[in-house]
Amino acid sequence: MSTNGQTNGHDATSGPPATVGEWAPKTDFNYEVTDDGVHWEHNARVYEWDGDEGEVGPEHPELEAALFGPPEERGGHGINFAAIAEIKVEQVGVTKVDPVRSFDTAGLHPAMLKNVQLAGYRVPTPIQMWCIPAILQGHDLIAIAQTGSGKTAAYLIPILSRLMGKAKQLAAPRPTAQDFREGSARPVTAEPLVVIVCPARELAVQIFNEARKFCYRSMLRPCVVYGGGPLRDQIAQLQRGCDVLIASPGRLVDFMERPGVLSLRRVKYMVIDEADEMLDDGWRDGFTKIMSGGEQDEGDVKYMMFSATFPAAARQLAKEYLTDNHVRLQVGRIGSTHSNIKQDVIFVARELKQDAVFDMLTTMPPQRTIIFVNSKHAADQLDDFLFNKNLPCTSMHGDRTQREREDAMRSFRAGTTPILITTGVTARGIDVRNVMHVINYDLPSMEHGGIQEYIHRIGRTGRIGYEGRATSFYNERDEGIAPLLTMTLLETKQEVPDFLSGFVPEGGAQAPLVFDDDSDDEGNANGTSNDASASGWGTDAPQGGHQPISEAW
Ligand code: AMP
């Protein structure tokens, strides 16, 4: 509960309606709207297959515009392809594939190729160059990759492309759109062909939005389910038929246990995205249930895992379910993908942080900004403070309802409130175009994510090939993270401020950067982050461990 008047709502009567700096006047936000259904992201429109003939349905210009957005804002717009091309991909497993350099020659289904063009994707990103052929050739896959690399499309494009030609034979029966219009539709059990499991609700919605684009004009019907959204609504969507299901693990298991709602018996592709965020001992049983939920014959289900690191639990799961000859990709190296983000660390005493952030916001040109804090209370407080100073802000944290989070995200995305104050966990996976500035009002502590969390956070800006800026407030309470922060600054060729100079390792930037990450891998992680393997395969609870993500489920 925010103290600024209403539940995360801003009191319209407080303060003069002035502008601050060049920021637009604050916009009031009403969470009292109750036209349920319309605003829930899981109810977003999808292509409704109505035909019996062929594999590709008719065009639907209005839906097309809604799915893909205005032409000038589609995929390739503003992207710095030189920066993308620099992201290195290494194949580290025994099975190798040849990369594809263009979508045209990748062997995609014509309807998929058309959707890729509509999305404005002109050139595959490096992870797509390898993932697309690997998946089209029918391999299982593990990829160490982060949000921002284009990984969602890297699995959606080939998986959906392969299914497009076969949807008629494979997909479960479902009511037609016509039946729905007439009200004669009978509900069915959802029997998806593709299941994508991911940790955070916001990320699930983002994947769903990508899936809605790539399923356009196909028989494949995407759905998303996640904790916090209304059960009845989500079940109603499933009962219309579901071929591609994006789900958070808790809600997925819940639905699997309800009779007649969801069966995994037809699953052909199982994708575990951001695996390191989900797999801990507490979720072992849940994942065993998910991974073997369909009880298909061995080899019938293709498994794909994407993760920023590969902790022991993820490796164990991979060992149990993936074929021995799966493709292993290492995409980029943790710091190197962030060289397009200008990072500043400035010393700010604790009691001056509010003033500092206000001064910073009002002296910079208005731009979409995410401010990270370390507690729900701090998020509420800062939201109040900035709002009362007439800055267009909103906030989000684990105590907000799902509805409130979606409203906050929508308002941030639309630019109505271009300043978003959030805790790190809640913001996991957020992909909003044109986030120009990330401010670490509080730096993550070593107990809650450490440098890994810092890297995740600053990665919200500078998304594929865009320039971004990250500013972090530092004071003596942040000494725990100082050594790794300094190394990250060196590694990403940033200036090290004087107050951190004591943490520069002997030999300066030339010295190999040794991360203390208690590796226990199957052989190739050596704890040296100059080596492409260091960030990944064997890193358990990297640099301070992960924050529990239970609040996101
Ligand atoms: P992801 O890493 O999956 O979160 O993707 C980050 C962003 O890049 C998303 O907004 C995608 O729509 C966009 N994107 C992915 N692949 C491409 C591509 N080949 N060309 C242009 N934009 C892309």
Side-chain angles (χ1 to χ4, degrees), residues 74-77 79 81 84 103 116 119-125 127-128 146-154 157 203 206 210 213-214 273 429 431 433 463-464:
R74 293 183 189 176
H77 170 74
I79 283 185
F81 281 97
I84 298 177
F103 290 115
V116 169
Y121 294 5
R122 286 191 280 269
V123 187
T125 67
I127 186 172
Q128 291 163 1
Q146 308 192 15
T147 310
S149 57
K151 70 181 160 79
T152 315
I157 291 173
L203 180 60
Q206 252 161 238
E210 289 280 280
K213 291 181 198 168
F214 294 123
D273 201 348
D431 175 32
R433 194 184 286 275
R463 312 313 304 281
I464 328 190

Side-chain angles (χ1 to χ4, degrees), residues 172-221:
R174 88 281 312 271
T176 63
Q178 176 77 24
D179 287 345
F180 259 94
R181 280 192 293 272
E182 289 166 0
S184 62
R186 305 247 319 244
V188 295
T189 300
E191 296 177 323
L193 302 172
V194 186
V195 173
I196 299 155
V197 191
C198 68
R201 301 158 188 180
E202 282 73 20
L203 180 60
V205 167
Q206 252 161 238
I207 300 172
F208 176 56
N209 288 337
E210 289 280 280
R212 291 196 300 134
K213 291 181 198 168
F214 294 123
C215 288
Y216 177 58
R217 295 181 68 191
S218 82
M219 236 186 111
L220 303 166
R221 188 169 193 278

Side-chain angles (χ1 to χ4, degrees), residues 141-164:
L141 177 92
I142 293 185
I144 290 192
Q146 308 192 15
T147 310
S149 57
K151 70 181 160 79
T152 315
Y155 58 77
L156 283 179
I157 291 173
I159 290 176
L160 301 177
S161 175
R162 264 182 74 126
L163 290 174
M164 275 174 172

